[in-house]
Amino acid sequence: MMEPLIILKLLHVVGAAVILGTGAGIAFFMVMADRSGDTRTVAHVAGTVVVADFVFTASAVLLQPVTGLLLARESGYPLDQGWILVSVALYLLVGACWLPVVWIQIRLRRIARKAAAEGTPLPPRYRRLYRLWFCLGFPAFAGVVAIIWLMLAKPDFAGSL
């Protein structure tokens, strides 16, 4: 029988992997679809990306704070430790990037579907939103990597915070 602490760790690590992996996969496929220049491909991939973000990323995003809080409690880590506070701050930064990204993906999907149905190229509005989506991905991805590092290294920030 697995210990509750091991189950919590497993859920937390899997959640982090899902957030990182889904984010990287979504970015890759969206960039490749955009580079294809084919409006129908963009419309299809954007639709898949929206579903993946809701099914996988959103589920993991909801799971992480719950498992993180339970892990800290079960492992005896005070919530005011520097690495935990920095992780929470980064988590909020990532969320501040991810929420607009989801909204942008829905808009990109709508614009691409309309252009595909009308047989027209993607309009300048799509390009502007796509650039914003692309730019928001960098701090979000870097934040997730930094959070995973903090989870593993648990650095002592006692003298610096």
Side-chain angles (χ1 to χ4, degrees), residues 7-9 11-13 62-72:
I7 293 170
L8 280 174
K9 285 181 180 181
L11 290 173
H12 200 66
V13 169
L62 295 173
L63 183 67
Q64 286 308 98
V66 173
T67 57
L69 183 63
L70 293 172
L71 267 173

Side-chain angles (χ1 to χ4, degrees), residues 117-158:
E118 294 172 355
T120 59
L122 294 167
R125 189 164 141 248
Y126 171 90
R127 291 276 154 240
R128 285 191 302 275
L129 284 171
Y130 176 82
R131 280 192 300 275
L132 180 58
W133 172 86
F134 190 85
C135 289
L136 285 168
F138 287 100
F141 190 80
V144 171
V145 170
I147 292 167
I148 291 171
W149 178 82
L150 288 164
M151 274 188 342
L152 295 171
K154 297 175 183 58
D156 183 10
F157 294 131

